[in-house]
Amino acid sequence: MIDDQLPADLRTDQPHTARVYDYILGGTDNYEADREAGEAVKTLWPTVTIATRANRQFMHRATRYLALRGVTQFLDIGSGIPTRPNLHEVAQTITPEARVVYVDNDPIVLAQAAPLLAGSPEGRTAYIPADVTTPRAILDAPRLHDILDLSRPVALSLIGLLPFISDDHRPYEMVATLVDAVAPGSYLVMSHITPDFDPTAIAAVTRLYHDSGLPLRTRDRAEFARFFEGLELLEPGIVSAQRWRRDDDELSVGSDAQVSVYVGVARART
Ligand SMILES: C[S@@+](CC[C@H](N)C(=O)[O-])C[C@H]1O[C@@H](n2cnc3c(N)ncnc32)[C@H](O)[C@@H]1O
């Protein structure tokens, strides 16, 4: 729901990554330019809805898995427009006192962040508007330290974020800076669109994004795996999103080509 109190810098005449994704997920926090771009994506990549759902379901499963393993702190960068269940809702279902910090650089996420802050009474959540390309600004933010204790393990969740970070921004160094800042025994949770399974559709979507003025850098398996160098990948390693520790009763699955999203969860060595 777009309300009347939104900031003026939303540039509603142009598509935005977060809003196009929201539209594809069936959300309502988007504008005509976002919907047009979303429809064009659906034409070029008809299974994009399956892909975005598989990506969200991976976030749910990975968060549940880590919460059940005792992780109580989560730093979710590139959180996106709130979509239920949000990460803190998944984590706090298992651990009510779980603490979650969300980060995104899109002004519409800031404007719509209220659902991200309505956590369980025992837990804490916060939202920091910041750009991941300056990771120190996130790591040094006082609000982050109000909520998270970085000397204890944290699940660092970068889900669907890195495709929007070009090589110019040194994404590997950026992720390493974030991982180096968290305690041993922390986890890195990532997902990333890939051209490996359906190169034609993914190349067409990439061109569309670039023609619309949106960033998109897809990465193949080796490029994705490089983000986990020096970390201990959990089973089943790097796989297509729908394959990662799937619950037996999960209905929506899809093939690797339909999903075209790699995922992985790794532990920082102790
Ligand atoms: C595809 S959405 C993913 C949302 C959510 N993590 C999920 O997987 O459902 C990507 C999000 O990353 C955010 N984003 C893109 N570039 C960013 C940057 N440089 N810093 C912080 N957030 C960024 C976008 O605004 C958007 O909300």
Side-chain angles (χ1 to χ4, degrees), residues 17-19 21 25 52 55-56 59 76-81 83 103-106 109 130-133 138 158-161 164-165 191 215:
T17 302
R19 300 187 314 223
Y21 183 75
L25 275 175
T52 50
N55 183 55
R56 287 298 295 181
M59 181 277 275
D76 182 37
I77 308 182
S79 54
I81 292 168
T83 303
V103 177
D104 204 289
N105 72 341
D106 194 305
V109 182
D131 197 306
V132 72
T133 59
I138 297 172
L158 310 177
I159 302 191
L161 169 68
F164 306 106
I165 307 303
S191 73

Side-chain angles (χ1 to χ4, degrees), residues 54-88:
N55 183 55
R56 287 298 295 181
Q57 287 170 348
F58 161 69
M59 181 277 275
H60 303 163
R61 292 198 302 281
T63 303
R64 260 198 313 269
Y65 179 80
L66 295 180
L68 287 168
R69 285 189 128 198
V71 177
T72 60
Q73 307 194 98
F74 296 81
L75 175 55
D76 182 37
I77 308 182
S79 54
I81 292 168
T83 303
R84 285 190 171 267
N86 294 293
L87 191 151
H88 72 280

Side-chain angles (χ1 to χ4, degrees), residues 14-206:
Q14 295 171 4
H16 275 223
T17 302
R19 300 187 314 223
V20 174
Y21 183 75
D22 175 71
Y23 176 69
I24 291 168
L25 275 175
T28 53
D29 295 315
N30 47 68
Y31 296 86
E32 194 51 39
D34 309 307
R35 294 190 278 275
E36 273 174 22
E39 283 302 320
V41 173
K42 286 185 190 178
T43 303
L44 296 171
W45 184 19
T47 63
V48 65
T49 308
I50 295 175
T52 50
R53 288 203 186 125
N55 183 55
R56 287 298 295 181
Q57 287 170 348
F58 161 69
M59 181 277 275
H60 303 163
R61 292 198 302 281
T63 303
R64 260 198 313 269
Y65 179 80
L66 295 180
L68 287 168
R69 285 189 128 198
V71 177
T72 60
Q73 307 194 98
F74 296 81
L75 175 55
D76 182 37
I77 308 182
S79 54
I81 292 168
T83 303
R84 285 190 171 267
N86 294 293
L87 191 151
H88 72 280
E89 291 160 322
V90 177
Q92 290 177 349
T93 299
I94 291 160
T95 311
E97 59 276 20
R99 294 173 165 234
V100 180
V101 171
Y102 292 107
V103 177
D104 204 289
N105 72 341
D106 194 305
I108 196 159
V109 182
L110 173 63
Q112 303 294 345
L116 300 178
L117 304 174
S120 69
E122 302 91 333
R124 303 260 319 261
T125 63
Y127 176 78
I128 301 175
D131 197 306
V132 72
T133 59
T134 51
R136 286 273 26 129
I138 297 172
L139 294 167
D140 295 341
R143 224 171 317 162
L144 181 138
H145 295 278
D146 284 348
I147 306 285
L148 302 181
D149 172 1
L150 296 192
S151 69
R152 292 180 37 242
V154 173
L156 179 59
S157 145
L158 310 177
I159 302 191
L161 169 68
L162 271 295
F164 306 106
I165 307 303
S166 69
D167 294 344
D168 297 347
H169 284 108
R170 300 171 169 267
Y172 298 103
E173 284 92 329
M174 200 190 78
V175 172
T177 301
L178 292 166
V179 171
D180 287 349
V182 293
S186 291
Y187 292 88
L188 175 64
V189 181
M190 287 188 65
S191 73
H192 205 302
I193 186 171
T194 183
D196 285 3
F197 303 113
D198 188 352
T200 308
I202 301 306
V205 170
T206 305

